[in-house]
Amino acid sequence: MKNLILTTILILTSVNLFAQGSPHAKIFSNFNFDLDSDPQYASRGFEIKRAYLGYKYNLSDDFSTKITFDVGKNGAGSNYTAFLKIASLSWQASEKLNLSFGMIGTKNFKFMENAWGKRYIYKSFMDENNWASSADAGANLVYTLSDNLTIDAQVLNGEGYKNLQSDNLFRGGAGITFNTEDISFRVSRDMIPRTMYGNNYDAQYINTFAVSFNNSNISFGGEYNLRENTSFVVDNTSTAFSVYGSL
């Protein structure tokens, strides 16, 4: 009888939480058809590349929680493996200050990804080339200086949401974003402490400069990335420039 009462309470609590929160889902799929191969061996068919499934719940006016699972391929070859991508607690400390803790979304390429808005066609450069992870364990803050200007900072484990912390080092970064009605600018700097020591090794830095233009008819933008001391090797510099546009 006690087990029945406890089960009933848990069910009612879950239903109540579900009713007050908001579930979310995003699915990336495509259709493949190989025109160049021999028809007998041509690859064709529908494919689900990735799915994000999650739930957000407002604990109060100041606190909210969010959980998101990333379902897709992993390095071992499994087609559908679920990873915990987001498990965060957000605190709206004041009208201008927001703090997030836990497994959080990172700021490294979120500006470009949101401005591009076509992640299902192609990832942004840093995402595609693994210069940073879209989520990681850590904390971040966003402070609104004015209606047009915000600053943000983050401290992360640095390994991404698919890997556990493998060392005692943290990845840090900060950025500033300026928004007008149609045009937005962002400048940020990211730092990863070195894992090797000697005269030829130093911390790795990623500097990002991005701009976007959006109105009801057209959107375009670009991003320049400069990575200093790539792989922690002094004076080993990598650069990238990407542009996008849509009508």
Side-chain angles (χ1 to χ4, degrees):
M1 184 64 180
K2 290 182 179 180
N3 290 337
L4 177 59
I5 293 174
L6 179 59
T7 302
T8 303
I9 292 174
L10 289 174
I11 292 174
L12 291 175
T13 301
S14 299
V15 171
N16 184 51
L17 287 174
F18 188 82
Q20 296 181 45
S22 57
H24 57 269
K26 184 181 291 186
I27 299 173
F28 297 94
S29 63
N30 56 34
F31 177 74
N32 302 311
F33 190 93
D34 192 345
L35 297 175
D36 298 327
S37 300
D38 187 325
Q40 181 179 354
Y41 303 103
S43 173
R44 60 177 67 92
F46 293 96
E47 182 181 21
I48 296 178
K49 299 287 290 183
R50 172 161 269 102
Y52 296 117
L53 307 171
Y55 187 77
K56 184 176 181 180
Y57 179 72
N58 293 323
L59 298 170
S60 67
D61 292 338
D62 299 327
F63 289 91
S64 64
T65 61
K66 182 179 180 181
I67 185 168
T68 302
F69 286 94
D70 173 6
V71 184
K73 289 186 177 181
N74 66 16
S78 173
N79 284 329
Y80 298 108
T81 300
F83 292 93
L84 181 63
K85 183 173 185 178
I86 302 293
S88 64
L89 173 66
S90 294
W91 176 31
Q92 192 66 43
S94 69
E95 183 179 344
K96 295 185 176 183
L97 177 63
N98 180 271
L99 302 169
S100 294
F101 314 88
M103 191 76 78
I104 57 176
T106 63
K107 302 293 185 181
N108 298 72
F109 49 80
K110 182 57 68 176
F111 175 90
M112 184 66 170
E113 188 173 79
N114 289 340
W116 162 227
K118 303 293 188 297
R119 161 66 174 75
Y120 57 90
I121 296 178
Y122 206 77
K123 298 178 182 179
S124 63
F125 173 83
M126 285 202 289
D127 189 11
E128 176 67 22
N129 292 276
N130 299 316
W131 280 29
S133 177
S134 59
D136 203 343
N140 68 30
L141 68 85
V142 179
Y143 188 80
T144 302
L145 295 171
S146 69
D147 292 340
N148 303 107
L149 193 64
T150 61
I151 57 174
D152 57 82
Q154 61 184 13
V155 178
L156 310 166
N157 276 354
E159 280 76 18
Y161 66 95
K162 294 183 179 180
N163 301 288
L164 297 175
Q165 175 78 333
S166 60
D167 52 44
N168 294 320
L169 303 175
F170 295 96
R171 181 173 187 162
I176 183 169
T177 305
F178 179 76
N179 297 299
T180 65
E181 184 175 351
D182 297 323
I183 302 176
S184 298
F185 301 91
R186 177 169 173 80
V187 178
S188 64
R189 184 169 171 86
D190 176 82
M191 187 275 289
I192 307 175
R194 62 181 176 176
T195 56
M196 298 171 285
Y197 295 88
N199 295 332
N200 295 324
Y201 301 104
D202 203 349
Q204 175 181 280
Y205 299 91
I206 299 176
N207 307 287
T208 301
F209 310 89
V211 59
S212 71
F213 173 83
N214 289 278
N215 64 20
S216 58
N217 299 316
I218 187 174
S219 67
F220 61 87
E223 182 179 71
Y224 176 73
N225 305 113
L226 170 65
R227 184 166 64 180
E228 305 171 63
N229 305 329
T230 301
S231 300
F232 310 107
V233 177
V234 172
D235 295 331
N236 183 21
T237 302
S238 304
T239 61
F241 182 68
S242 55
V243 296
Y244 69 88
S246 62
L247 298 175

